[in-house]
Amino acid sequence: SAVFTDAMFDRLEERMKGVGWDDVRSYWESDFKGRKIVSGFMKDKALGSKRLASMPDRITNTINVADEELPVCRPTVINMYDGDLSTLDVWWAAWEKFMFDTKLSISTKDGVVAEEPYKMLQPIKKSKYPDITVEEERVSLPLQTMCGAIFDAILVHMMNTVSDPSVWQSLKRTMVENLNRQKVPHTLDILENVYSPSDIITLQEVSSSLIDQARKRTLGQRFWIVAPGDMDAVRDQNSVIFLNKETFPAGPSAEITALVENSFEDGASVPIARGDILAITATDRDGIPFVVSSFHGDTNGLATKPVLSAIVKAMGSDSSLAAHKLVFGLDANTYEKAKPGKQQDVMEWGEHYVSHGLTSCWGDVPNPSNYTTFNSRTYLQPQLNKACKKSNKRENGDVNPKDFILFG
């Protein structure tokens, strides 16, 4: 409470009650108020696995707004926010105003909608994040808002403690300009310069900004750029498909995402979110019909097998799809050494796709040490369960065989 203070919580409680949210004072008084900022909060892996800090960050960190070249950023250390963060009081005033008073114009399938960032937050579902309790799920909107505020306050305090604000904020602006603001253009440069000869490109966790910019560049002349009809404008992470116009001259025929999502087993709780799945049909220049799908799996990979089974079931249930060939590009989030019952083992995943008559870009039997992901995270990000020290980045980082292209 010396960093995120009682006065800050009182004001936050007032604002949250004002929008009709449940009271979370008991969580503050009995738990969070007395935590140490590093060992008790920043290094608490349960906060990460419950997404209590990362979910509000995912939604409000960087928000693409309609008809604006640059996004709007939450006042925090870990994004492109260029306002003053030299004191906690200055930060808190800006943070409260941003979350509760700043209306932003967001493009949706129904047009442009103006709403404050707090309205964009989404409940944290136990079905997708099993570590969260039933009661925490019930109050997940105010609880994640409180945890997000505490997280941001700690980062501002830490940075102003270890460095003079004039020093670290200047360095941050330089990094933002070179790394963050140029991220989408640099990504599109790679796609154009390396992958433009491809017939099909599947991408995951794609922002609306990248889609719009891609359509305006050479990529838009070379590819049909297909986004979900029901795009996730709030979370702004969507699976996307690029179809080469020479290979698929007629472009996409139809989107069948809804058919896939309606093909899950009855009663199954599959941890997917809006925008995770995109499935379309298209016919190539030789008259061969395809189902092409792009999918982003949950962190533990528990949706990966059910989604593939649903695609296969959907293709089998519709006679018009019987002759179609499947091409499925996905971030499967599979693991070399999976935690039994909690993560998707890559070898078991291989057995699953082979059982459906498919193979992969890695063959029928994937090599578990054929890593496609090799990264580690610092503590300057909200998924605290994934953070590690630099000296432990190899053994504690995410080094796994996660990415696949299936076909058959």
Side-chain angles (χ1 to χ4, degrees):
S1 61
V3 175
F4 189 78
T5 64
D6 279 318
M8 290 176 182
F9 175 80
D10 290 343
R11 179 59 179 162
L12 180 61
E13 180 183 49
E14 181 182 337
R15 297 306 302 261
M16 294 193 297
K17 285 184 176 180
V19 301
W21 285 352
D22 291 314
D23 181 39
V24 290
R25 177 170 285 274
S26 61
Y27 288 92
W28 170 250
E29 295 286 356
S30 66
D31 185 1
F32 291 96
K33 176 180 177 179
R35 290 193 183 200
K36 295 182 178 180
I37 62 173
V38 176
S39 61
F41 194 95
M42 297 300 289
K43 298 180 74 172
D44 181 5
K45 293 187 180 298
L47 280 176
S49 61
K50 294 178 180 182
R51 297 297 192 269
L52 288 173
S54 64
M55 186 61 76
D57 177 72
R58 173 183 290 181
I59 302 298
T60 66
N61 181 293
T62 302
I63 301 173
N64 292 305
V65 294
D67 301 322
E68 294 289 340
E69 182 177 348
L70 293 177
V72 176
C73 296
R74 187 181 79 250
T76 186
V77 171
I78 58 172
N79 62 13
M80 296 189 293
Y81 180 72
D82 58 4
D84 184 14
L85 297 175
S86 60
T87 70
L88 280 169
D89 287 340
V90 168
W91 160 78
W92 174 239
W95 194 95
E96 180 192 342
K97 180 179 180 181
F98 169 83
M99 287 295 294
F100 293 97
D101 299 322
T102 304
K103 283 196 173 184
L104 302 175
S105 298
I106 308 299
S107 296
T108 71
K109 67 174 184 176
D110 299 319
V112 176
V113 176
E115 58 185 12
E116 298 86 347
Y118 81 86
K119 292 182 180 178
M120 303 175 191
L121 297 177
Q122 301 174 352
I124 301 175
K125 298 293 187 181
K126 186 173 178 62
S127 59
K128 185 164 186 178
Y129 304 106
D131 286 345
I132 199 165
T133 69
V134 173
E135 176 59 22
E136 288 169 343
E137 178 185 31
R138 187 183 69 81
V139 297
S140 60
L141 287 173
L143 188 58
Q144 66 178 284
T145 303
M146 180 186 72
C147 290
I150 295 171
F151 175 78
D152 286 340
I154 291 172
L155 293 184
V156 172
H157 168 76
M158 288 173 61
M159 293 307 299
N160 287 328
T161 300
V162 301
S163 176
D164 186 273
S166 64
V167 175
W168 76 262
Q169 290 195 107
S170 176
L171 177 60
K172 176 177 182 276
R173 292 187 186 100
T174 300
M175 294 173 65
V176 162
E177 185 60 37
N178 290 303
L179 297 177
N180 298 76
R181 285 194 174 143
Q182 297 304 313
K183 180 180 179 180
V184 169
H186 287 337
T187 301
L188 295 175
D189 287 343
I190 293 170
L191 289 171
E192 284 182 352
N193 297 330
V194 180
Y195 296 101
S196 60
S198 303
D199 295 312
I200 299 171
I201 299 174
T202 63
L203 303 174
Q204 295 82 41
E205 295 188 283
V206 179
S207 68
S208 58
S209 175
L210 188 146
I211 295 168
D212 291 341
Q213 292 184 48
R215 286 172 172 161
K216 297 174 183 177
R217 292 177 47 145
T218 303
L219 285 166
Q221 300 171 18
R222 187 173 183 82
F223 291 93
W224 304 100
I225 298 175
V226 189
D230 187 20
M231 277 184 61
D232 181 359
V234 175
R235 199 170 57 116
D236 206 19
Q237 297 180 340
N238 300 279
S239 293
V240 172
I241 295 169
F242 289 17
L243 297 178
N244 191 301
K245 290 183 177 180
E246 292 184 4
T247 309
F248 298 92
S253 305
E255 181 179 347
I256 60 168
T257 304
L259 178 63
V260 172
E261 293 178 344
N262 290 330
S263 297
F264 291 126
E265 295 297 328
D266 290 340
S269 180
V270 183
I272 59 169
R274 241 175 91 197
D276 283 344
I277 304 173
L278 172 62
I280 63 173
T281 60
T283 302
D284 74 3
R285 61 191 170 206
D286 297 319
I288 300 173
F290 287 86
V291 167
V292 183
S293 185
S294 177
F295 170 63
H296 169 243
D298 61 294
T299 296
N300 295 319
L302 299 181
T304 299
K305 286 168 57 179
V307 167
L308 174 58
S309 295
I311 292 173
V312 173
K313 181 179 178 181
M315 293 176 66
S317 66
D318 188 330
S319 59
S320 67
L321 301 176
H324 285 60
K325 295 182 178 296
L326 175 64
V327 176
F328 184 20
L330 70 158
D331 172 3
N333 269 324
T334 47
Y335 291 81
E336 178 185 21
K337 299 176 181 177
K339 298 175 183 176
K342 293 187 175 182
Q343 294 175 326
Q344 180 57 59
D345 177 78
V346 69
M347 301 305 289
E348 185 182 283
W349 162 238
E351 294 172 1
H352 184 74
Y353 63 69
V354 167
S355 74
H356 285 299
L358 302 170
T359 189
S360 81
C361 55
W362 311 120
D364 290 353
V365 182
N367 181 347
S369 61
N370 188 10
Y371 308 127
T372 64
T373 298
F374 201 127
N375 68 76
S376 60
R377 301 189 188 217
T378 71
Y379 290 93
L380 287 177
Q381 51 85 35
Q383 292 197 42
L384 305 176
N385 57 316
K386 300 180 181 180
C388 67
K389 296 179 180 178
K390 181 180 179 181
S391 58
N392 298 329
K393 64 182 180 181
R394 177 60 179 85
E395 58 268 32
N396 292 342
D398 185 359
V399 184
N400 283 290
K402 292 194 167 188
D403 300 284
F404 285 80
I405 301 172
L406 304 185
F407 51 93

